[in-house]
Amino acid sequence: MNDSLSPVFAALADPTRRDMVARLTEADATVGELAKPYDVSVQAISKHLKVLEQAGLVTRVAEGHRSPVHLEAEVFELMTKWIERYRQRAEARYRRLDAVLAEMNDETTGRRSRKETA
Amino acid sequence: MNDSLSPVFAALADPTRRDMVARLTEADATVGELAKPYDVSVQAISKHLKVLEQAGLVTRVAEGHRSPVHLEAEVFELMTKWIERYRQRAEARYRRLDAVLAEMNDETTGRRSRKETA
DNA sequence: ATTATCCTCAACCAGATGGTTGAGGATAAA
DNA sequence: TTTATCCTCAACCATCTGGTTGAGGATAAT
């Protein structure tokens, strides 16, 4: 399976990681900067970053001493595509269902369908 | 934190569950029907359904013997909202950054900025 | 040259996750 | 009534996950 989607969903399933992503939309940041607001060790944040990195959500270019973290927002589209595809499919189905129900209702009440009366 | 998002992302981080969701956009289905295509026990699928259910992605109304599973597509919007918010924020930032870089380039090359020449 | 800072790796731990098998309760069919 | 079907619960297992602490390598600052 070419499953590039699972790691992305998994990465964003953690609130700390979602928050980090949110902050990275404002500006790149070093590991230390990213770690500051949270009540966990720098090592824990380093691990979180590895998860985001392997999901393709984030890249790092070692820059001497520090390694600034950069958000790769294109991956968002992968998810949006998936979600939208099935959301629309579901909606289409509901529309069909509504039509069928309306039809049934019209028939049992002896009324003409809207199409016919139009 | 009012974290209703984490369970949704977590639920969709599994390919089997994503596939079940995809299939449920076509039609409601019983647990047995859902389980058929996969090479795992019915109990495993039952567990997957509990995950989807607790994420709010799916509901079940016991109907005598069987309990048909129904997709609740509204939850999709929660995710889409989150993703779109930060995607747009990231894009806005890139636009700002591009503008700054263009400005710097113009200055070092002694050219006027596009705004001035327009 | 020494010291401090930034970061990662390794080992460990508790709890979650995804799978299994076995047992059993309710409903439907014989 | 008996039997079959659909589904869930419980116990178990291996692996993954998110956290910790400790050690250490590179780079930067004194």
Side-chain angles (χ1 to χ4, degrees):
Chain A
M1 198 191 303
N2 172 23
D3 186 1
S4 49
L5 215 42
S6 294
V8 183
F9 279 113
L12 294 177
D14 184 284
T16 301
R17 284 195 294 257
R18 273 203 310 283
D19 194 59
M20 289 196 269
V21 166
R23 289 171 57 211
L24 285 169
T25 58
E26 295 295 343
D28 292 359
T30 67
V31 178
E33 286 164 0
L34 277 172
K36 235 163 243 160
Y38 314 113
D39 199 21
V40 297
S41 64
V42 178
Q43 290 95 321
I45 299 299
S46 188
K47 278 193 187 180
H48 279 308
L49 279 172
K50 211 191 306 191
V51 174
L52 290 171
E53 201 169 16
Q54 296 201 322
L57 278 160
V58 133
T59 52
R60 271 179 286 184
V61 197
E63 192 177 84
H65 195 189
R66 308 154 313 133
S67 66
V69 181
H70 177 75
L71 184 68
E72 299 292 337
E74 307 86 52
V75 187
F76 280 10
E77 282 172 43
L78 257 188
M79 272 189 301
T80 312
K81 258 186 203 160
W82 190 91
I83 298 168
E84 280 306 299
R85 170 154 72 161
Y86 292 112
R87 195 178 64 76
Q88 284 171 20
R89 207 173 279 192
E91 272 175 14
R93 187 189 152 216
Y94 295 151
R95 273 198 298 277
R96 284 199 303 277
L97 191 60
D98 281 349
V100 170
L101 291 178
E103 190 71 28
M104 283 172 61
N105 191 52
D106 285 352
E107 282 176 14
T108 54
T109 57
R111 263 187 264 121
R112 291 236 182 94
S113 78
R114 210 171 289 143
K115 211 173 192 177
E116 289 173 279
T117 56
Chain B
M1 199 193 299
N2 172 24
D3 186 1
S4 48
L5 216 41
S6 295
V8 183
F9 278 113
L12 294 178
D14 184 284
T16 302
R17 284 194 295 257
R18 273 204 310 283
D19 194 60
M20 289 196 268
V21 166
R23 290 170 57 211
L24 285 169
T25 58
E26 295 295 342
D28 292 359
T30 66
V31 177
E33 287 165 357
L34 277 171
K36 234 164 247 161
Y38 313 114
D39 198 23
V40 297
S41 64
V42 178
Q43 289 95 320
I45 298 299
S46 188
K47 277 194 187 179
H48 278 309
L49 279 171
K50 211 191 306 190
V51 174
L52 290 171
E53 199 169 17
Q54 295 200 322
L57 279 160
V58 133
T59 52
R60 271 179 286 184
V61 197
E63 192 177 83
H65 196 189
R66 309 155 311 133
S67 65
V69 181
H70 178 75
L71 184 68
E72 299 292 337
E74 306 86 51
V75 188
F76 281 10
E77 282 173 42
L78 256 187
M79 272 189 301
T80 311
K81 258 186 205 162
W82 190 91
I83 297 168
E84 279 306 299
R85 170 154 71 162
Y86 292 112
R87 196 178 64 77
Q88 285 171 19
R89 207 174 280 192
E91 273 176 14
R93 187 190 152 214
Y94 295 150
R95 273 197 300 275
R96 282 200 304 277
L97 190 60
D98 281 349
V100 170
L101 290 178
E103 189 70 28
M104 283 173 61
N105 192 51
D106 285 352
E107 282 175 15
T108 55
T109 58
R111 264 187 263 121
R112 292 237 182 94
S113 78
R114 209 171 291 142
K115 211 174 192 174
E116 289 173 278
T117 55

